[in-house]
Amino acid sequence: MSAVESIQEGPSSAERLTRALSDPDPQVRALAAWSLGKLEGAAQPAILEIIKALEDKEPRVRHEALKAISRVGGPAALPALSKHIGLDIEGEELAISARALIKCGDTASIRSALRNPRLDVRHQIIKNLSDPKPDLLPGIHSALEDIALNGNPYQRAWAISGLAGFSSHRSVHAGLFMKALHDPDSGVRAAGASALGNPNFLSTSSVAALSDSLTDQNLQVRRAAALSLQAFR
């Protein structure tokens, strides 16, 4: 049993692990952050110290601190996460940051992230929205619907793709997707056709709209419509 594993035992494990975040050895600090993440909500009193570990000079400590925040959650972590996700991060670090922001965040912070100028940030936020807190759903739907209607063509396409992952608000979303089939931009039309392939949006109207898209002048739109129709068989 390692030193960090041993201090996980007992009623004061969170306090001991929090102190270990200041250990001179980076491996101990990283393992302490990892262990606090394992405690999830029980580590909530330590969240401010975990946030401080995001500034650690050792990358592995920062990495484990970020993962711990994504598991512990709490509104206290929101300012640091919003700042962190705006940094020049990518790959797994960006994915973890997105999960953490959704776990800790409120509607305003998620709406802001959905309008981040970086495509990979928006993509990770949408990708990790499959199971957000129920109280956030109306705000998330509203943000994506607004972007789908008023964004530039590229934004409209990915917002439609994001909305396709939700089974609630079916009638509203289905209407939005069918409207997208007539968008001047082929990428938006293709996104709408793909979104209607979700069985949650199956209806006589959606099948008819997809059938009409089989004659679209753009090959990608025709292919997306064909694939969606195939899903209804």
Side-chain angles (χ1 to χ4, degrees):
M1 178 181 290
S2 71
V4 172
E5 287 174 330
S6 68
I7 62 176
Q8 280 186 287
E9 298 182 351
S12 301
S13 58
E15 295 178 16
R16 297 177 184 178
L17 288 166
T18 302
R19 289 196 295 270
L21 288 173
S22 300
D23 193 276
D25 183 70
Q27 182 176 0
V28 172
R29 297 198 302 275
L31 286 170
W34 176 84
S35 298
L36 283 164
K38 288 289 187 180
L39 294 178
E40 298 186 340
Q44 188 60 234
I47 192 65
L48 293 180
E49 294 303 315
I50 301 173
I51 291 170
K52 288 180 182 178
L54 288 176
E55 306 294 332
D56 197 282
K57 62 181 181 180
E58 291 291 334
R60 55 184 166 172
V61 178
R62 298 196 300 269
H63 181 76
E64 292 300 339
L66 187 59
K67 289 201 295 184
I69 292 170
S70 74
R71 300 190 69 170
V72 176
L78 187 55
L81 284 172
S82 297
K83 177 182 176 182
H84 192 76
I85 207 167
L87 300 177
D88 189 20
I89 58 175
E90 55 187 16
E92 185 184 7
E93 185 176 6
L94 177 57
I96 296 170
S97 297
R99 289 196 295 272
L101 183 68
I102 292 167
K103 184 177 180 67
C104 302
D106 52 16
T107 301
S109 63
I110 295 174
R111 287 178 72 107
S112 177
L114 285 170
R115 289 192 174 276
N116 190 291
R118 286 179 51 187
L119 169 63
D120 54 349
V121 171
R122 301 193 303 265
H123 174 74
Q124 284 295 340
I125 293 295
I126 289 177
K127 183 179 178 180
N128 286 282
L129 279 176
S130 58
D131 189 27
K133 293 182 289 186
D135 59 313
L136 296 181
L137 281 173
I140 292 169
H141 288 161
S142 174
L144 287 173
E145 288 165 3
D146 178 61
I147 295 169
L149 290 170
N150 303 308
N152 62 42
Y154 197 71
Q155 292 172 333
R156 296 201 301 275
W158 63 252
I160 288 169
S161 297
L163 285 168
F166 295 106
S167 59
S168 56
H169 294 242
R170 295 179 186 178
S171 59
V172 174
H173 292 172
L176 185 63
F177 300 156
M178 285 190 281
K179 180 179 179 180
L181 295 178
H182 302 286
D183 194 278
D185 184 83
S186 61
V188 176
R189 297 199 302 276
S194 295
L196 286 171
N198 186 324
N200 289 310
F201 306 117
L202 174 62
S203 69
T204 302
S205 297
S206 61
V207 171
L210 286 169
S211 297
D212 288 342
S213 292
L214 291 175
T215 60
D216 193 281
Q217 61 183 356
N218 183 271
L219 176 59
Q220 293 303 115
V221 176
R222 298 198 301 273
R223 285 179 174 174
L227 286 171
S228 290
L229 286 169
Q230 187 177 32
F232 293 148
R233 290 181 179 178

